[in-house]
């Protein structure tokens, strides 16, 4: 039997749904981030991020079944992500994580990953 996954430990799909719902509610009305996203497919974008995060943390592998290998840096290449975009993304994600009521240890695990991942998604360094 495999060890209990982080996905299961924090509460599974409902928790990831709550995370991305909170996050995307912020993104949709954010002046820096909103223009980057597909304005006619907000629900799809929300589902892609949720499925990716669920898979990353040991939940269902639906993301890769639908999207293939994540290759997230490549998939973000079309979007200009400078320090401003990265920090806006992280600020909204921080508020979304805060809304979950995780334990301090769970919070540190999830947040450590998200901060690292957001840094690795930056692909512009010439912001004013
Ligand atoms: C997709 C922006 C960081 C995971 C997208 C999309 C945009 C975007 C505009 C396209 C929306 C869609 O149609 O799915 C950003 C910005 C970031 C950032 C501005 C700031 C650093 C991250 C991070 C992760 C992530 C840190 C993972 C932890 C994803 C995933 C998709 C996606 C899984 C869908 C990929 C696909 O299957 O097509 N992102 N992103 N993003 N992002 Fe990000």
């Amino acid at each position: 039997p495999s060890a209990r996954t982080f996905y299961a430990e924090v509460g599974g799909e409902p928790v990831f749904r709550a995370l991305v719902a909170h996050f995307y509610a912020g993104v949709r009305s954010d002046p820096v981030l909103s223009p980057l996203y597909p304005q006619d497919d907000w629900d799809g974008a929300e589902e892609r991020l949720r499925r990716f995060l669920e898979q990353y943390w040991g939940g269902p592998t639906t993301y890769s079944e639908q999207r293939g290998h994540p290759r997230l840096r490549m998939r973000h290449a079309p979007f200009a992500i400078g320090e401003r975009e990265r920090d806006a993304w992280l600020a909204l994600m921080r508020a979304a994580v805060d809304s979950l009521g995780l334990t301090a240890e769970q919070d540190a695990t999830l947040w450590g990953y998200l901060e690292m991942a957001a840094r690795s998604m930056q692909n512009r360094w010439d912001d004013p």
Side-chain angles (χ1 to χ4, degrees), residues 7-65:
Y7 170 82
E9 191 199 315
V10 298
E13 181 172 322
V15 168
F16 286 85
R17 278 192 187 278
L19 175 67
V20 298
H22 196 291
F23 175 70
Y24 268 101
V27 172
R28 289 183 201 217
S29 59
D30 186 272
V32 171
L33 294 178
S34 178
L36 299 176
Y37 284 80
Q39 305 297 310
D40 56 354
D41 192 21
W42 285 107
D43 290 349
E46 187 170 320
E47 184 176 346
R48 287 185 281 279
L49 179 59
R50 174 173 62 86
R51 291 301 198 183
F52 171 80
L53 292 172
E54 290 177 351
Q55 173 173 302
Y56 181 86
W57 292 108
T61 55
T62 313
Y63 178 83
S64 280
E65 284 155 29

Side-chain angles (χ1 to χ4, degrees), residues 23-24 27 32-38 41-42 44-53 56-57 63 66-72 75-76 79-82 84-90 93 113-122:
F23 175 70
Y24 268 101
V27 172
V32 171
L33 294 178
S34 178
L36 299 176
Y37 284 80
D41 192 21
W42 285 107
E46 187 170 320
E47 184 176 346
R48 287 185 281 279
L49 179 59
R50 174 173 62 86
R51 291 301 198 183
F52 171 80
L53 292 172
Y56 181 86
W57 292 108
Y63 178 83
Q66 295 179 342
R67 307 291 291 166
H69 191 287
R71 293 183 296 174
L72 287 187
R75 289 191 203 264
H76 287 75
F79 314 117
I81 304 178
R84 188 177 39 197
E85 289 76 16
R86 183 201 66 196
D87 288 350
W89 192 99
L90 277 170
M93 190 54 88
Y113 166 73
L114 291 168
E115 260 197 318
M116 176 280 296
R119 277 199 304 274
S120 82
M121 234 56 87
Q122 186 174 349

